[in-house]
Amino acid sequence: MTARAGTDGGTDDQGRHRREQPRTDYGGAVYGALLAASVVAGTGALGPYRRVGLVLLLLVTGLVFWAAHVYSRLVGERETYRHPTRAVISGVARQEWPIAQAAVPPAVAVAISPLLGLGLEGTAWFALAVALAEQIGWAGAAEVRAGGSRRRVFASGVVNLVLGLVIVLLKAVLHEH
């Protein structure tokens, strides 16, 4: 997954303009992974085509939340985007894209689960594990990129693991009844 957003540009110490470099939007990727995990945890019966339904639900939910974030950012930052051009809108859409991208790995996990011999319950747990691993990985990568110490990287992993365990608990409770 390529989680791209914005640019790191500006000037260097001598006041010269630095070439803008794409930067990764880890927050959007973590948010999208949490969203995907929540979708998997909250799904019950999806009709006769459960795997196809879950793949579509993951992808469509990712796209809907991506579009909502693009819109809310354009509205919320109205002073910045007074007259949004097509280029501005597409730039914001690219910046928010990691939210939609984060739905892909769990959707792929669902799609390949029959090849692994997983039943429906195993498929849901596999997709949930993929989403949580993605969430923890992106959060850790954000800390590393920010120059965080090993302690901060570890703490980030623990916080995201706890958030993930809350979702796992939610899934267990919802699917037990």
Side-chain angles (χ1 to χ4, degrees):
M1 173 162 87
T2 345
R4 294 282 178 204
T7 55
D8 291 331
T11 57
D12 63 15
D13 292 336
Q14 284 82 34
R16 294 178 298 217
H17 183 68
R18 286 191 314 245
R19 198 173 124 216
E20 293 186 358
Q21 298 293 320
R23 63 182 167 83
T24 301
D25 179 14
Y26 297 104
V30 170
Y31 176 85
L34 275 165
L35 177 63
S38 298
V39 167
V40 173
T43 56
L46 292 169
Y49 304 103
R50 292 181 180 164
R51 282 186 179 90
V52 172
L54 184 52
V55 167
L56 291 174
L57 186 60
L58 282 162
L59 296 176
V60 168
T61 301
L63 288 172
V64 167
F65 274 75
W66 163 75
H69 274 255
V70 171
Y71 175 74
S72 65
R73 197 155 142 221
L74 289 169
V75 169
E77 297 177 20
R78 186 73 175 118
E79 278 190 28
T80 303
Y81 304 120
R82 271 178 214 232
H83 306 288
T85 63
R86 181 174 280 176
V88 166
I89 294 168
S90 65
V92 170
R94 275 191 310 279
Q95 290 171 355
E96 297 295 336
W97 189 241
I99 293 170
Q101 284 180 309
V104 174
V108 168
V110 172
I112 67 166
S113 66
L115 301 173
L116 302 173
L118 297 175
L120 293 175
E121 188 65 19
T123 294
W125 285 110
F126 179 46
L128 184 57
V130 167
L132 296 180
E134 180 182 22
Q135 169 198 337
I136 293 166
W138 282 115
E143 276 298 332
V144 169
R145 171 91 187 246
S149 65
R150 287 183 184 170
R151 174 180 268 166
R152 286 193 59 135
V153 172
F154 179 76
S156 174
V158 169
V159 167
N160 279 278
L161 180 60
V162 169
L163 285 171
L165 291 175
V166 168
I167 294 170
V168 167
L169 180 61
L170 174 66
K171 182 196 177 319
V173 168
L174 285 176
H175 292 270
E176 190 174 289
H177 300 305

